[in-house]
Amino acid sequence: MKLTFWEAAEAVKAENDWKQWADFELTGLEFDSRLITAGNLFVPLKGANDGHSFISSAIEKGAGAAFWSRVDDVPVELPFLKVSDTLKAMQDLAVYYLKKMTPTVIAVTGSNGKTTTKDMTEAVLSQQFKTYKTQGNYNNDIGLPYTILHMPDETEKLILEMGMDHAHEIDFLSTLAQPEVAAITMIGEAHIENLGSRAGIAQAKMEITAGLDKSGLLLIPAEEPLLLPLINGLPQTIKTFGWHDADCQAEIVTEQKEQSTFKIKGSDTLFTIPVPGKYNIGNALIAISIGQWFGLAEEKIQAGLANFKLTKNRTEWLKNQRSVEILSDVYNANPTAMNLVLDSFSQMATSGKRVAVLGDMLELGPDSAAMHASVSEHLNPKEIAEVLLYGTEMKALYNTLKKNYPENKVHYFTKEEKDSLIDTLQSILKAEDMVVLKGSNGMGLNEVVEQLMKS
């Protein structure tokens, strides 16, 4: 991090006499005292635990300075910057650092596919530029400024994932980051409990334009009518991606378990991505469009997509010692995303049987039961032989599905019965079978995946 102590003090308008300490280079920034290394700026955040309580640990780890908002217990062992709100100070410092380092910012949001799109875009742009992206899911008002303040000095393109579960959150993130390019992957039902409807979700996602450069680029899915009335009057260049009447339009060539190949309208180039599913091709179209915006040759875009690395638990193929193929997609879920995964999984070639393990989709509000039940339209016993449902909300799907499936081929487990779910699944799966696991992160299906890999 190319910042000095005095520079940080001026950026956040520190309230104390910080010039009593000689200026020095800060080596980085951390809000977790356990991650502090020599010369770091410690940011004690107030959450379930008050970070100020860990100042001794930060000092022991070698912190060079700290933000401080308490009126008491002022650290005397190291330089500190008095601020009224340590989180706001970190955010203000991130704004300053963006202006100082001047990377081009690309912002990505959407109900599903944000992380995969971010990963693909980073792989494409890194073919020509020094590129940095949000690590893991650091996509909120803490994670986004943290990402900015951790980008390498030489970063030319900065890809920021923007998440939300309430209105006005992306507005804040976009205004902070001031992107040149913004992309909305899709409008699903995630957080519909807080936003009221898919239309409300669409409006919340469109907040990504709050800080978008007026001469910049906005990418939206062509097949999403809820977004069309929201783009009227926007000054930015607006391009669509998708399967019909889109500016970046895909034609699938082949779909396999571990890769997909497609072309785009107006080009004979074959693009291959090392993940399955039509929905992932849609994510790749965003990365292609962003690569084109920044002038990358088609060959570089092609090479980037062919070799991109997917963040863990996003459409991840695994194989255990019993030769069971496992499609793990357990980080998040909403009906639209779950249906897309099931449609793709249903067509994947296998010499064994297909099995689905589905966990609750959370934060769907009063229509949750109906939304869970509607997934039955994407489950056919001729394609997916056996289904295991897990969680309170999945009871609605169980009651619907057992009418269409043979007896004893649909299983239901409460959230307290995870061990029984694992035992039943282990007894069902045989060599060469294929299983997909999909559910909200809060359901902990990653633990089921871990047990399958130990078998």
Side-chain angles (χ1 to χ4, degrees), residues 250-276:
E251 174 191 338
I252 298 174
V253 177
T254 59
E255 279 190 274
Q256 298 172 302
K257 285 181 293 188
E258 296 183 355
Q259 68 177 39
S260 305
T261 302
F262 63 98
K263 296 190 295 184
I264 59 171
K265 187 177 180 180
S267 172
D268 292 326
T269 299
L270 289 177
F271 296 93
T272 298
I273 52 176
V275 286

PDB file of all heavy atoms in Angstrom, residues 250-276:
ATOM      1  N   ALA A 250     -24.844 -15.252 -27.822  1.00  0.00           N
ATOM      2  CA  ALA A 250     -24.138 -16.531 -27.850  1.00  0.00           C
ATOM      3  C   ALA A 250     -24.900 -17.597 -28.615  1.00  0.00           C
ATOM      4  O   ALA A 250     -26.134 -17.610 -28.645  1.00  0.00           O
ATOM      5  CB  ALA A 250     -23.878 -17.014 -26.428  1.00  0.00           C
ATOM      6  N   GLU A 251     -24.131 -18.494 -29.215  1.00  0.00           N
ATOM      7  CA  GLU A 251     -24.669 -19.711 -29.822  1.00  0.00           C
ATOM      8  C   GLU A 251     -23.864 -20.882 -29.247  1.00  0.00           C
ATOM      9  O   GLU A 251     -22.648 -20.959 -29.437  1.00  0.00           O
ATOM     10  CB  GLU A 251     -24.513 -19.664 -31.340  1.00  0.00           C
ATOM     11  CG  GLU A 251     -24.925 -20.951 -32.045  1.00  0.00           C
ATOM     12  CD  GLU A 251     -24.500 -20.971 -33.507  1.00  0.00           C
ATOM     13  OE1 GLU A 251     -24.274 -19.887 -34.083  1.00  0.00           O
ATOM     14  OE2 GLU A 251     -24.379 -22.090 -34.051  1.00  0.00           O
ATOM     15  N   ILE A 252     -24.546 -21.769 -28.524  1.00  0.00           N
ATOM     16  CA  ILE A 252     -23.849 -22.893 -27.898  1.00  0.00           C
ATOM     17  C   ILE A 252     -23.428 -23.901 -28.957  1.00  0.00           C
ATOM     18  O   ILE A 252     -24.209 -24.278 -29.827  1.00  0.00           O
ATOM     19  CB  ILE A 252     -24.753 -23.566 -26.849  1.00  0.00           C
ATOM     20  CG1 ILE A 252     -25.097 -22.586 -25.727  1.00  0.00           C
ATOM     21  CG2 ILE A 252     -24.072 -24.801 -26.266  1.00  0.00           C
ATOM     22  CD1 ILE A 252     -26.083 -23.117 -24.724  1.00  0.00           C
ATOM     23  N   VAL A 253     -22.179 -24.336 -28.857  1.00  0.00           N
ATOM     24  CA  VAL A 253     -21.653 -25.362 -29.769  1.00  0.00           C
ATOM     25  C   VAL A 253     -21.691 -26.726 -29.093  1.00  0.00           C
ATOM     26  O   VAL A 253     -22.236 -27.682 -29.624  1.00  0.00           O
ATOM     27  CB  VAL A 253     -20.224 -25.006 -30.221  1.00  0.00           C
ATOM     28  CG1 VAL A 253     -19.657 -26.112 -31.122  1.00  0.00           C
ATOM     29  CG2 VAL A 253     -20.215 -23.670 -30.964  1.00  0.00           C
ATOM     30  N   THR A 254     -21.111 -26.818 -27.887  1.00  0.00           N
ATOM     31  CA  THR A 254     -21.164 -28.059 -27.110  1.00  0.00           C
ATOM     32  C   THR A 254     -21.261 -27.724 -25.622  1.00  0.00           C
ATOM     33  O   THR A 254     -20.709 -26.730 -25.162  1.00  0.00           O
ATOM     34  CB  THR A 254     -19.909 -28.938 -27.318  1.00  0.00           C
ATOM     35  OG1 THR A 254     -18.748 -28.209 -26.926  1.00  0.00           O
ATOM     36  CG2 THR A 254     -19.777 -29.372 -28.764  1.00  0.00           C
ATOM     37  N   GLU A 255     -21.962 -28.583 -24.878  1.00  0.00           N
ATOM     38  CA  GLU A 255     -22.022 -28.485 -23.420  1.00  0.00           C
ATOM     39  C   GLU A 255     -21.590 -29.824 -22.848  1.00  0.00           C
ATOM     40  O   GLU A 255     -22.173 -30.859 -23.159  1.00  0.00           O
ATOM     41  CB  GLU A 255     -23.440 -28.167 -22.951  1.00  0.00           C
ATOM     42  CG  GLU A 255     -23.828 -26.716 -23.034  1.00  0.00           C
ATOM     43  CD  GLU A 255     -25.146 -26.450 -22.323  1.00  0.00           C
ATOM     44  OE1 GLU A 255     -26.195 -26.628 -22.956  1.00  0.00           O
ATOM     45  OE2 GLU A 255     -25.114 -26.091 -21.120  1.00  0.00           O
ATOM     46  N   GLN A 256     -20.563 -29.792 -22.016  1.00  0.00           N
ATOM     47  CA  GLN A 256     -20.078 -30.998 -21.369  1.00  0.00           C
ATOM     48  C   GLN A 256     -20.030 -30.773 -19.860  1.00  0.00           C
ATOM     49  O   GLN A 256     -20.276 -29.666 -19.379  1.00  0.00           O
ATOM     50  CB  GLN A 256     -18.685 -31.359 -21.911  1.00  0.00           C
ATOM     51  CG  GLN A 256     -18.696 -31.672 -23.412  1.00  0.00           C
ATOM     52  CD  GLN A 256     -17.296 -31.838 -23.972  1.00  0.00           C
ATOM     53  OE1 GLN A 256     -16.480 -30.930 -23.873  1.00  0.00           O
ATOM     54  NE2 GLN A 256     -17.024 -32.998 -24.549  1.00  0.00           N
ATOM     55  N   LYS A 257     -19.710 -31.842 -19.126  1.00  0.00           N
ATOM     56  CA  LYS A 257     -19.717 -31.731 -17.665  1.00  0.00           C
ATOM     57  C   LYS A 257     -18.720 -30.710 -17.160  1.00  0.00           C
ATOM     58  O   LYS A 257     -18.984 -30.000 -16.187  1.00  0.00           O
ATOM     59  CB  LYS A 257     -19.402 -33.099 -17.044  1.00  0.00           C
ATOM     60  CG  LYS A 257     -20.558 -34.084 -17.105  1.00  0.00           C
ATOM     61  CD  LYS A 257     -20.198 -35.391 -16.459  1.00  0.00           C
ATOM     62  CE  LYS A 257     -19.135 -36.131 -17.238  1.00  0.00           C
ATOM     63  NZ  LYS A 257     -18.891 -37.493 -16.726  1.00  0.00           N
ATOM     64  N   GLU A 258     -17.572 -30.635 -17.803  1.00  0.00           N
ATOM     65  CA  GLU A 258     -16.511 -29.791 -17.261  1.00  0.00           C
ATOM     66  C   GLU A 258     -16.148 -28.619 -18.155  1.00  0.00           C
ATOM     67  O   GLU A 258     -15.215 -27.874 -17.845  1.00  0.00           O
ATOM     68  CB  GLU A 258     -15.272 -30.642 -16.980  1.00  0.00           C
ATOM     69  CG  GLU A 258     -15.538 -31.691 -15.907  1.00  0.00           C
ATOM     70  CD  GLU A 258     -14.310 -32.495 -15.552  1.00  0.00           C
ATOM     71  OE1 GLU A 258     -13.269 -32.299 -16.204  1.00  0.00           O
ATOM     72  OE2 GLU A 258     -14.389 -33.316 -14.634  1.00  0.00           O
ATOM     73  N   GLN A 259     -16.884 -28.431 -19.232  1.00  0.00           N
ATOM     74  CA  GLN A 259     -16.616 -27.263 -20.057  1.00  0.00           C
ATOM     75  C   GLN A 259     -17.781 -26.999 -21.012  1.00  0.00           C
ATOM     76  O   GLN A 259     -18.623 -27.865 -21.247  1.00  0.00           O
ATOM     77  CB  GLN A 259     -15.321 -27.427 -20.853  1.00  0.00           C
ATOM     78  CG  GLN A 259     -15.377 -28.509 -21.934  1.00  0.00           C
ATOM     79  CD  GLN A 259     -14.088 -28.571 -22.733  1.00  0.00           C
ATOM     80  OE1 GLN A 259     -12.995 -28.425 -22.183  1.00  0.00           O
ATOM     81  NE2 GLN A 259     -14.195 -28.781 -24.037  1.00  0.00           N
ATOM     82  N   SER A 260     -17.815 -25.777 -21.515  1.00  0.00           N
ATOM     83  CA  SER A 260     -18.829 -25.378 -22.497  1.00  0.00           C
ATOM     84  C   SER A 260     -18.126 -24.612 -23.612  1.00  0.00           C
ATOM     85  O   SER A 260     -17.203 -23.828 -23.360  1.00  0.00           O
ATOM     86  CB  SER A 260     -19.882 -24.470 -21.848  1.00  0.00           C
ATOM     87  OG  SER A 260     -20.455 -25.078 -20.713  1.00  0.00           O
ATOM     88  N   THR A 261     -18.579 -24.842 -24.831  1.00  0.00           N
ATOM     89  CA  THR A 261     -18.004 -24.161 -25.991  1.00  0.00           C
ATOM     90  C   THR A 261     -19.111 -23.420 -26.727  1.00  0.00           C
ATOM     91  O   THR A 261     -20.217 -23.944 -26.905  1.00  0.00           O
ATOM     92  CB  THR A 261     -17.316 -25.162 -26.934  1.00  0.00           C
ATOM     93  OG1 THR A 261     -16.300 -25.858 -26.212  1.00  0.00           O
ATOM     94  CG2 THR A 261     -16.692 -24.460 -28.131  1.00  0.00           C
ATOM     95  N   PHE A 262     -18.819 -22.185 -27.147  1.00  0.00           N
ATOM     96  CA  PHE A 262     -19.832 -21.371 -27.807  1.00  0.00           C
ATOM     97  C   PHE A 262     -19.173 -20.359 -28.749  1.00  0.00           C
ATOM     98  O   PHE A 262     -17.958 -20.137 -28.708  1.00  0.00           O
ATOM     99  CB  PHE A 262     -20.679 -20.632 -26.768  1.00  0.00           C
ATOM    100  CG  PHE A 262     -19.898 -19.655 -25.919  1.00  0.00           C
ATOM    101  CD1 PHE A 262     -19.873 -18.302 -26.219  1.00  0.00           C
ATOM    102  CD2 PHE A 262     -19.179 -20.096 -24.812  1.00  0.00           C
ATOM    103  CE1 PHE A 262     -19.147 -17.413 -25.444  1.00  0.00           C
ATOM    104  CE2 PHE A 262     -18.453 -19.206 -24.026  1.00  0.00           C
ATOM    105  CZ  PHE A 262     -18.437 -17.858 -24.349  1.00  0.00           C
ATOM    106  N   LYS A 263     -19.993 -19.780 -29.597  1.00  0.00           N
ATOM    107  CA  LYS A 263     -19.562 -18.681 -30.460  1.00  0.00           C
ATOM    108  C   LYS A 263     -20.419 -17.467 -30.141  1.00  0.00           C
ATOM    109  O   LYS A 263     -21.479 -17.591 -29.529  1.00  0.00           O
ATOM    110  CB  LYS A 263     -19.731 -19.054 -31.936  1.00  0.00           C
ATOM    111  CG  LYS A 263     -18.860 -20.214 -32.395  1.00  0.00           C
ATOM    112  CD  LYS A 263     -18.877 -20.374 -33.911  1.00  0.00           C
ATOM    113  CE  LYS A 263     -20.252 -20.749 -34.447  1.00  0.00           C
ATOM    114  NZ  LYS A 263     -20.225 -21.006 -35.916  1.00  0.00           N
ATOM    115  N   ILE A 264     -19.970 -16.307 -30.584  1.00  0.00           N
ATOM    116  CA  ILE A 264     -20.804 -15.117 -30.451  1.00  0.00           C
ATOM    117  C   ILE A 264     -21.153 -14.607 -31.844  1.00  0.00           C
ATOM    118  O   ILE A 264     -20.406 -14.811 -32.807  1.00  0.00           O
ATOM    119  CB  ILE A 264     -20.125 -14.011 -29.620  1.00  0.00           C
ATOM    120  CG1 ILE A 264     -18.795 -13.581 -30.231  1.00  0.00           C
ATOM    121  CG2 ILE A 264     -19.938 -14.460 -28.183  1.00  0.00           C
ATOM    122  CD1 ILE A 264     -18.188 -12.350 -29.560  1.00  0.00           C
ATOM    123  N   LYS A 265     -22.293 -13.982 -31.918  1.00  0.00           N
ATOM    124  CA  LYS A 265     -22.790 -13.479 -33.191  1.00  0.00           C
ATOM    125  C   LYS A 265     -21.776 -12.543 -33.838  1.00  0.00           C
ATOM    126  O   LYS A 265     -21.221 -11.663 -33.193  1.00  0.00           O
ATOM    127  CB  LYS A 265     -24.111 -12.732 -32.962  1.00  0.00           C
ATOM    128  CG  LYS A 265     -24.826 -12.300 -34.225  1.00  0.00           C
ATOM    129  CD  LYS A 265     -26.146 -11.642 -33.877  1.00  0.00           C
ATOM    130  CE  LYS A 265     -26.884 -11.191 -35.140  1.00  0.00           C
ATOM    131  NZ  LYS A 265     -28.169 -10.537 -34.800  1.00  0.00           N
ATOM    132  N   GLY A 266     -21.505 -12.793 -35.116  1.00  0.00           N
ATOM    133  CA  GLY A 266     -20.572 -11.958 -35.861  1.00  0.00           C
ATOM    134  C   GLY A 266     -19.144 -12.434 -35.824  1.00  0.00           C
ATOM    135  O   GLY A 266     -18.250 -11.765 -36.354  1.00  0.00           O
ATOM    136  N   SER A 267     -18.893 -13.600 -35.202  1.00  0.00           N
ATOM    137  CA  SER A 267     -17.531 -14.115 -35.103  1.00  0.00           C
ATOM    138  C   SER A 267     -17.536 -15.631 -35.259  1.00  0.00           C
ATOM    139  O   SER A 267     -18.477 -16.311 -34.827  1.00  0.00           O
ATOM    140  CB  SER A 267     -16.916 -13.744 -33.754  1.00  0.00           C
ATOM    141  OG  SER A 267     -15.667 -14.386 -33.575  1.00  0.00           O
ATOM    142  N   ASP A 268     -16.476 -16.159 -35.851  1.00  0.00           N
ATOM    143  CA  ASP A 268     -16.321 -17.605 -35.988  1.00  0.00           C
ATOM    144  C   ASP A 268     -15.432 -18.194 -34.897  1.00  0.00           C
ATOM    145  O   ASP A 268     -15.200 -19.408 -34.862  1.00  0.00           O
ATOM    146  CB  ASP A 268     -15.706 -17.939 -37.364  1.00  0.00           C
ATOM    147  CG  ASP A 268     -16.663 -17.627 -38.508  1.00  0.00           C
ATOM    148  OD1 ASP A 268     -17.886 -17.781 -38.306  1.00  0.00           O
ATOM    149  OD2 ASP A 268     -16.185 -17.214 -39.583  1.00  0.00           O
ATOM    150  N   THR A 269     -14.930 -17.354 -34.014  1.00  0.00           N
ATOM    151  CA  THR A 269     -14.059 -17.815 -32.939  1.00  0.00           C
ATOM    152  C   THR A 269     -14.824 -18.690 -31.956  1.00  0.00           C
ATOM    153  O   THR A 269     -15.937 -18.356 -31.548  1.00  0.00           O
ATOM    154  CB  THR A 269     -13.460 -16.620 -32.177  1.00  0.00           C
ATOM    155  OG1 THR A 269     -12.686 -15.832 -33.094  1.00  0.00           O
ATOM    156  CG2 THR A 269     -12.575 -17.075 -31.031  1.00  0.00           C
ATOM    157  N   LEU A 270     -14.228 -19.814 -31.587  1.00  0.00           N
ATOM    158  CA  LEU A 270     -14.818 -20.682 -30.581  1.00  0.00           C
ATOM    159  C   LEU A 270     -14.277 -20.296 -29.206  1.00  0.00           C
ATOM    160  O   LEU A 270     -13.057 -20.242 -28.995  1.00  0.00           O
ATOM    161  CB  LEU A 270     -14.487 -22.149 -30.868  1.00  0.00           C
ATOM    162  CG  LEU A 270     -15.173 -22.791 -32.079  1.00  0.00           C
ATOM    163  CD1 LEU A 270     -14.677 -24.218 -32.265  1.00  0.00           C
ATOM    164  CD2 LEU A 270     -16.683 -22.780 -31.919  1.00  0.00           C
ATOM    165  N   PHE A 271     -15.173 -20.028 -28.270  1.00  0.00           N
ATOM    166  CA  PHE A 271     -14.795 -19.732 -26.896  1.00  0.00           C
ATOM    167  C   PHE A 271     -15.122 -20.944 -26.032  1.00  0.00           C
ATOM    168  O   PHE A 271     -16.223 -21.504 -26.132  1.00  0.00           O
ATOM    169  CB  PHE A 271     -15.567 -18.518 -26.369  1.00  0.00           C
ATOM    170  CG  PHE A 271     -15.255 -17.233 -27.091  1.00  0.00           C
ATOM    171  CD1 PHE A 271     -16.025 -16.819 -28.166  1.00  0.00           C
ATOM    172  CD2 PHE A 271     -14.184 -16.450 -26.694  1.00  0.00           C
ATOM    173  CE1 PHE A 271     -15.745 -15.633 -28.829  1.00  0.00           C
ATOM    174  CE2 PHE A 271     -13.893 -15.256 -27.347  1.00  0.00           C
ATOM    175  CZ  PHE A 271     -14.674 -14.846 -28.420  1.00  0.00           C
ATOM    176  N   THR A 272     -14.178 -21.332 -25.187  1.00  0.00           N
ATOM    177  CA  THR A 272     -14.394 -22.459 -24.279  1.00  0.00           C
ATOM    178  C   THR A 272     -14.181 -21.987 -22.846  1.00  0.00           C
ATOM    179  O   THR A 272     -13.191 -21.306 -22.545  1.00  0.00           O
ATOM    180  CB  THR A 272     -13.430 -23.617 -24.586  1.00  0.00           C
ATOM    181  OG1 THR A 272     -13.700 -24.089 -25.919  1.00  0.00           O
ATOM    182  CG2 THR A 272     -13.630 -24.769 -23.612  1.00  0.00           C
ATOM    183  N   ILE A 273     -15.106 -22.333 -21.973  1.00  0.00           N
ATOM    184  CA  ILE A 273     -14.959 -22.040 -20.550  1.00  0.00           C
ATOM    185  C   ILE A 273     -14.937 -23.354 -19.781  1.00  0.00           C
ATOM    186  O   ILE A 273     -15.667 -24.287 -20.123  1.00  0.00           O
ATOM    187  CB  ILE A 273     -16.100 -21.125 -20.028  1.00  0.00           C
ATOM    188  CG1 ILE A 273     -17.481 -21.698 -20.392  1.00  0.00           C
ATOM    189  CG2 ILE A 273     -15.944 -19.710 -20.579  1.00  0.00           C
ATOM    190  CD1 ILE A 273     -18.647 -20.898 -19.813  1.00  0.00           C
ATOM    191  N   PRO A 274     -14.106 -23.462 -18.737  1.00  0.00           N
ATOM    192  CA  PRO A 274     -13.944 -24.745 -18.039  1.00  0.00           C
ATOM    193  C   PRO A 274     -15.014 -25.004 -16.986  1.00  0.00           C
ATOM    194  O   PRO A 274     -14.733 -25.538 -15.911  1.00  0.00           O
ATOM    195  CB  PRO A 274     -12.560 -24.597 -17.400  1.00  0.00           C
ATOM    196  CG  PRO A 274     -12.433 -23.138 -17.139  1.00  0.00           C
ATOM    197  CD  PRO A 274     -13.146 -22.445 -18.271  1.00  0.00           C
ATOM    198  N   VAL A 275     -16.256 -24.624 -17.277  1.00  0.00           N
ATOM    199  CA  VAL A 275     -17.397 -24.855 -16.405  1.00  0.00           C
ATOM    200  C   VAL A 275     -18.611 -25.180 -17.267  1.00  0.00           C
ATOM    201  O   VAL A 275     -18.693 -24.758 -18.422  1.00  0.00           O
ATOM    202  CB  VAL A 275     -17.713 -23.627 -15.512  1.00  0.00           C
ATOM    203  CG1 VAL A 275     -16.698 -23.472 -14.402  1.00  0.00           C
ATOM    204  CG2 VAL A 275     -17.773 -22.351 -16.349  1.00  0.00           C
ATOM    205  N   PRO A 276     -19.567 -25.937 -16.728  1.00  0.00           N
ATOM    206  CA  PRO A 276     -20.752 -26.278 -17.508  1.00  0.00           C
ATOM    207  C   PRO A 276     -21.844 -25.225 -17.355  1.00  0.00           C
ATOM    208  O   PRO A 276     -21.779 -24.348 -16.485  1.00  0.00           O
ATOM    209  CB  PRO A 276     -21.197 -27.595 -16.865  1.00  0.00           C
ATOM    210  CG  PRO A 276     -20.828 -27.405 -15.415  1.00  0.00           C
ATOM    211  CD  PRO A 276     -19.558 -26.609 -15.414  1.00  0.00           C
TER     212      PRO A 276
END
